[in-house]
Amino acid sequence: NIIAIKWFLIYNFIKEKLMMDVKVNSDACIGCGSCQAIAPNVFIIGDNGYAEAKVKKVSDEDKDDAIEAMESCPTGAIEVDE
C-alpha cells in the first residue's frame, strides 16, 4: 500500500531528526574509557586508544546513557546535540 509506505518513510525521517547527535573530540580525549563503560552502545575505545562514537545518531533507548557519559567525561571531550 502506497500510503503505508509514505507514512513509514515520513515517520523514519522525523524520528531521525529527533535523535541526538554525538561526537568525541579526539584532541581532548585521554582514553580513560568511562564513556564506553557508561554507554557501550554509543562509545568504543578505538585502536588508537581513544574514545570514538559508534553511532552518529543516538537512539532514544541510549540517550540518557550518552548524556551521563558526556557529563562524566573528565576532559569534556564528548559533545551531544539534542
Side-chain angles (χ1 to χ4, degrees), residues 1 3-4 11 15 17 19 23 26 32 36-37 39 43 47-48 50 60-61 68 72 76 78:
N1 185 326
I3 294 174
Y11 169 79
K15 183 178 176 184
K17 292 294 180 189
M19 292 175 81
K23 64 181 178 178
S26 58
C32 72
Q36 183 182 26
F43 301 101
D47 293 336
N48 62 0
Y50 298 106
D60 285 340
E61 296 84 25
E68 183 180 346
S72 299
I78 299 171

Side-chain angles (χ1 to χ4, degrees), residues 17-63:
K17 292 294 180 189
L18 295 175
M19 292 175 81
M20 183 174 68
D21 294 330
V22 64
K23 64 181 178 178
V24 177
N25 178 343
S26 58
D27 293 331
C29 179
I30 59 171
C32 72
S34 65
C35 59
Q36 183 182 26
I38 294 168
N41 292 335
V42 181
F43 301 101
I44 60 168
I45 300 299
D47 293 336
N48 62 0
Y50 298 106
E52 300 173 6
K54 289 171 72 172
V55 295
K56 291 183 181 186
K57 299 278 189 179
V58 178
S59 69
D60 285 340
E61 296 84 25
D62 294 321
K63 194 175 195 177

